[in-house]
Each structure stands twice: as C-alpha cells, then as structure tokens.
Amino acid sequence: MKKTIFILAITAFIAGTILTSCQSSAKKVANAQDDVIKANEELNKANQEYLEDIKSYRKITAENIVANENNIAEFKARIEKDKKNAKSDYKKKIALLEQKNSDMKKKMDEYTDQGKENWEIFKAEFNNEMDEMAKALKELQF
C-alpha cells in the first residue's frame, strides 16, 4: 500500500511539473506571437513612411525642375536682346543646362524602390545635383 501511495505521489508530482511547464511554454509562444505581430506592424509603418518620403521628395524635385525650366526660359528671353557673340555662348550653356535638367527629371522618374539605405544615398546625390544646377543657373543670371 505504501508503495502504491508513493507511486501515485510521484506520478502526481511529475504530472504537475509537466502541466506547469506546458503552461509556461504556451505563455512563451503567445508572447512570441505578440512580439512578431508588433514587429510586423512597426515594419509596415516604417515602410509606409519610407514610401511617403519618396512620394513627397518626388513632388518637391518635380517643382524644382519646373522652376529650373522656367528660369531657363526667362534667361533665353533675356539673351535674345544681347549681341550675337554673347548669344551663342549663352545658348550653348543653356542647352547644357536644359539637358542636365531633363536628365535629372528622367533619373527621378526612373528611380525604383531599392530599399531605404539606397534611397538615402540616391537622395543625397540628387540633392547635390540639384544644388549644382541651381548654382549654374545663378551664374548665368546677369
């Protein structure tokens, strides 16, 4: 009889231990699932912000490119009044600026989503090109 009680006690102890460990494993799995859901939500939010950044940057650069086109057109109108020698020099410079402006517009239009790190690099390079373009336009102004 003592042996039977002893075996039942040990069996109950082992069963209790197993049930307790199963419950804590289930809690760990549930917590891990919650963490994964939160991480996915944060990733989706970060991706949305990244795509919004691209969209707003495209809008800003499009406005800048149009402003460059307007500045070039105004400058063309002003040089028509200059002497022939000055006109040809200015026309060559304007043609180069128009081509550069057109290339920049094409570069922005052709950019595809290549990840946030590549976007930051692209944006920095494009900003430098835009700054150079603005500087070249200012140098042409008289």
Side-chain angles (χ1 to χ4, degrees):
M1 182 80 148
K2 282 186 178 184
K3 217 179 196 184
T4 310
I5 294 175
F6 181 70
I7 291 174
L8 284 175
I10 289 178
T11 307
F13 176 73
I14 292 173
T17 305
I18 291 172
L19 289 176
T20 305
S21 66
C22 288
Q23 288 177 352
S24 67
S25 295
K27 288 180 184 177
K28 287 179 185 178
V29 169
N31 288 339
Q33 288 174 339
D34 289 342
D35 291 344
V36 169
I37 291 170
K38 287 177 186 175
N40 283 336
E41 288 173 356
E42 289 174 7
L43 179 62
N44 289 338
K45 183 179 177 184
N47 283 336
Q48 189 64 29
E49 289 173 357
Y50 162 66
L51 294 174
E52 287 297 321
D53 184 35
I54 291 175
K55 185 178 177 180
S56 66
Y57 189 75
R58 283 181 191 251
K59 182 180 177 184
I60 291 168
T61 56
E63 292 169 357
N64 288 339
I65 289 172
V66 169
N68 289 344
E69 291 170 351
N70 291 338
N71 286 339
I72 291 170
E74 289 173 14
F75 190 72
K76 276 182 172 179
R78 279 189 272 160
I79 64 166
E80 289 300 319
K81 299 174 185 173
D82 282 351
K83 297 179 183 176
K84 281 190 176 188
N85 292 341
K87 275 187 195 181
S88 66
D89 289 340
Y90 283 131
K91 285 185 179 185
K92 289 177 187 175
K93 290 178 183 178
I94 287 174
L96 289 173
L97 290 175
E98 284 177 321
Q99 182 62 44
K100 185 174 181 176
N101 202 45
S102 175
D103 291 345
M104 289 172 59
K105 182 177 182 180
K106 183 177 177 183
K107 184 177 180 180
M108 178 55 73
D109 290 343
E110 292 176 351
Y111 179 80
T112 57
D113 181 11
Q114 300 171 357
K116 187 168 183 158
E117 186 175 311
N118 289 336
W119 168 246
E120 294 300 328
I121 293 168
F122 174 84
K123 195 161 81 168
E125 291 173 357
F126 199 86
N127 280 338
N128 286 338
E129 291 178 23
M130 290 294 286
D131 291 343
E132 289 175 14
M133 181 73 171
K135 184 178 177 183
L137 283 170
K138 283 184 180 182
E139 288 174 359
L140 278 180
Q141 305 295 324
F142 52 89

